[in-house]
Structure formats: structure tokens, C-alpha cells
Amino acid sequence: MKIARTVKELRKFLEPLGRERVGFVPTMGYLHEGHLSLVKRSRAECDLTVVSIFVNPAQFGPNEDLDRYPRDEERDRSLLEKEGVDLLFLPSVDEMYPPGFAARVEVPGLSERLCGAFRPGHFSGVCTVVLKLFEMVRPARAYFGLKDAQQFLILRRMVRDLNLPVAMIGCPTIREGDGLARSSRNVYLSEEERSIAPVIYRALTRAADRIESAASPLPSAGEILAEVRSTIESAGPFKIDYVQLVDPETLCDLKEARLPCLLAVAAWLGRTRLIDNILLGLDKGEGS
Ligand code: AMP
């Protein structure tokens, strides 16, 4: 596996190869099976797989966990090597944001909803770094997890709106045996918190079963959401940011539980913010 730390090193390796062969998996590192599932998919579909690890300051708010975000470069490198990754891009903050850097990419509308309402500027930071990475790596295909469904939908919109020649591939959420969505932030959880965290997915699946089996009249969104909320809150000291049932294209709230829909939760458990979702009635394969 080649390592590039600068754009110059990256381009030197990729330039002769041509864009059509390259699959790309952007990450913030501290890798787990969720990340590796994206790598495996890229390896299966592309001639060459590039992974980036960059903890992007632009997508963290001033009181968020940028400083304590978990990092382990050595372990990540060996995991990626085992997966047969061709090139790992490990840029520094200065390489990505040199002095005087000012540009921002915004996708208004989608970016203020769900997590955006609680993390102002977050999705602009994500879009800005992903557009930069796309320009540096110039992939034909890019792989993202649907665990971060809003992120995927916003990035897909950015790619469409800006005519970027990248196929956006949304991949299913990888979970622990008890249903908890894999996340680098799960290491923040205490033993007790870890044992109650899977209630989020249990509440989501129960609601999803109800939505999928509903006959007319359809249940109201309010009814479904109240049940999800009470299941989560009765399991432990969660502080819920939101439980929402939205249209997966517009992310606008639905009044009735109809398909397709995105049922999404963000909740704090102690110092850890957990997010999870279920996408219903949508082709979860190719996102473009
Ligand atoms: P992160 O390192 O958290 O920025 O995530 C990098 C990529 O991995 C994003 O596209 C995430 O959506 C994806 N990802 C993170 N966790 C999971 C998971 N449990 N299942 C599938 N994809 C994931």
C-alpha cells in the first residue's frame, strides 16, 4: 500500500492511471467494519482503491469532540493493508487548509435539517472537504455509508448540482451483533452506556415493521415518532436531539408514515452523540 501525505505525492501516483479505474473511500479513521465494508465494495468494483483518513476540523463545531476524536494511524494502516488498499492518503490540516483558505461549499435546504439543526456549519464542512478530496483523487466511484444517510443525500445532491463526474454509492449500515451501528465514537461509551445503546436500533426496527405492514389509513408520523421516543427514553438517560420521519429526497417531515421514508434518530448518551436511521422503500444500492 502506497502512502501519500501531500497532494503532490497523491497526484504523482494517480495521474498516470486515469479516473475511470479509481474507487474512493473518504474517512476520518479509527477504522471499523463499517469503513472496511466500503473498502471491500470498492475493491470488488474498481481496479484501484484509494482511502483517505482526515479528521476534518471544518465539520466540527467549537464545542464538539475534534480534540478527543479517536485516532490510531498504525492500526488503520495495517487494517487497510490487509484489505488490499492501493493508496492511503493522509493529509495534514495544513495540506488541506493552507493559510488563507476561504472557500466553502453549501447545499442549503438539506443541510439545515435533522443533524444540521443541531450542528450548524457541519454539512458545509463535509461538502467542502469532500469536494476537495474528489478534486485531488479524481475517482470514478465514491463509497459512503448510509449510517450517515443525511450526509450521503447532501453529498449526492452536491455531485448532481455541480456535475461532478463521480458515481455516488451508498452502502448499508454495518452493526454490532446487538444492533448498535458501528461508529468510531462508540469507544466513548462506558460499559453501562454500551449495554443500553442498542435500544435505538430496536426502537427503529419496531417502528419500521409497523410502517411497512401498515394498511390504510396510514399511521400518523406523530404516533410512530412518539413510540420511538418513549422506547428510547425509557431505556436509559438519553437526551434526544431528534426523532424524525422525513422524505428521503427533501428531508422534509412527513405527516403520515408512508414509503419511501427515512426514520432517523440522534441522541446523546452521556458524552456520546449517537445517530442511526432506517431507510424504507428506497433502492439502497447505487445512490446516483
Ligand atoms: P467517518 O470516518 O465516520 O467519517 O466515516 C467514513 C465513512 O464510513 C462514511 O461514509 C460513513 O458513513 C461510513 N460509515 C461509518 N460507520 C459506518 C457503518 N456502521 N456502516 C457503514 N458505513 C459506515
Side-chain angles (χ1 to χ4, degrees):
M1 183 173 72
K2 286 248 187 295
I3 308 266
R5 291 186 187 271
T6 63
V7 181
K8 208 167 157 198
E9 288 164 6
L10 179 78
R11 293 307 312 154
K12 197 168 143 202
F13 180 76
L14 292 174
E15 210 114 72
L17 299 171
R19 146 168 250 153
E20 66 284 353
R21 298 177 49 198
V22 177
F24 178 43
V25 181
T27 81
M28 297 206 300
Y30 212 72
L31 304 176
H32 51 67
E33 283 301 323
H35 300 111
L36 299 182
S37 72
L38 310 183
V39 171
K40 288 185 172 86
R41 179 105 180 247
S42 172
R43 289 267 298 135
E45 295 178 354
C46 306
D47 292 339
L48 204 125
T49 292
V50 179
V51 175
S52 65
I53 296 179
F54 179 61
V55 182
N56 175 32
Q59 69 190 69
F60 287 78
N63 300 314
E64 293 186 352
D65 58 345
L66 174 63
D67 291 338
R68 67 183 185 116
Y69 195 85
R71 297 161 211 240
D72 191 341
E73 187 183 309
E74 216 167 292
R75 186 173 155 275
D76 287 349
R77 277 169 71 155
S78 104
L79 284 171
L80 295 174
E81 198 131 27
K82 279 195 207 111
E83 290 297 335
V85 166
D86 299 280
L87 176 67
L88 171 58
F89 183 41
L90 285 167
S92 66
V93 173
D94 265 0
E95 183 71 11
M96 293 300 281
Y97 301 115
F101 181 89
R104 288 298 278 203
V105 183
E106 305 274 356
V107 182
L110 298 180
S111 295
E112 297 80 38
R113 303 186 188 283
L114 301 175
C115 282
F118 297 86
R119 305 186 68 189
H122 169 68
F123 288 113
S124 169
V126 171
C127 288
T128 305
V129 82
V130 170
L131 179 59
K132 280 174 70 74
L133 289 167
F134 279 1
E135 282 304 296
M136 294 167 178
V137 176
R138 304 199 185 140
R141 297 166 77 78
Y143 296 84
F144 294 88
L146 291 172
K147 177 194 166 250
D148 302 286
Q150 182 178 17
Q151 168 174 282
F152 176 71
L153 296 167
I154 290 171
L155 290 171
R156 189 178 63 174
R157 175 67 62 82
M158 173 185 84
V159 162
R160 279 185 193 163
D161 288 357
L162 301 179
N163 304 90
L164 306 179
V166 182
M168 297 289 285
I169 318 293
C171 303
T173 301
I174 304 298
R175 300 178 179 281
E176 304 283 357
D178 56 13
L180 178 65
R182 293 263 186 155
S183 164
S184 307
R185 290 188 166 103
N186 289 350
V187 292
Y188 298 155
L189 296 169
S190 69
E191 210 175 307
E192 198 198 335
E193 289 165 350
R194 173 63 189 83
S195 72
I196 55 178
V199 73
I200 294 179
Y201 186 56
R202 281 203 302 279
L204 287 174
T205 43
R206 198 184 304 166
D209 287 347
R210 232 186 116 189
I211 294 169
E212 282 185 318
S213 62
S216 70
L218 295 169
S220 77
E223 217 178 296
I224 301 274
L225 297 175
E227 199 176 313
V228 172
R229 201 173 256 279
S230 83
T231 305
I232 294 172
E233 282 175 336
S234 60
F238 287 94
K239 195 187 130 299
I240 292 178
D241 271 355
Y242 64 80
V243 179
Q244 278 178 257
L245 187 70
V246 299
D247 180 293
E249 271 294 315
T250 62
L251 301 182
C252 289
D253 285 316
L254 295 176
K255 287 202 170 64
E256 286 175 337
R258 55 93 170 141
L259 302 178
C261 63
L262 171 68
L263 177 59
V265 171
W268 289 89
L269 189 51
R271 296 204 304 156
T272 312
R273 188 172 187 272
L274 300 167
I275 58 167
D276 204 349
N277 70 79
I278 292 193
L279 256 174
L280 295 172
L282 208 69
D283 171 20
K284 292 170 197 157
E286 303 248 335
S288 51

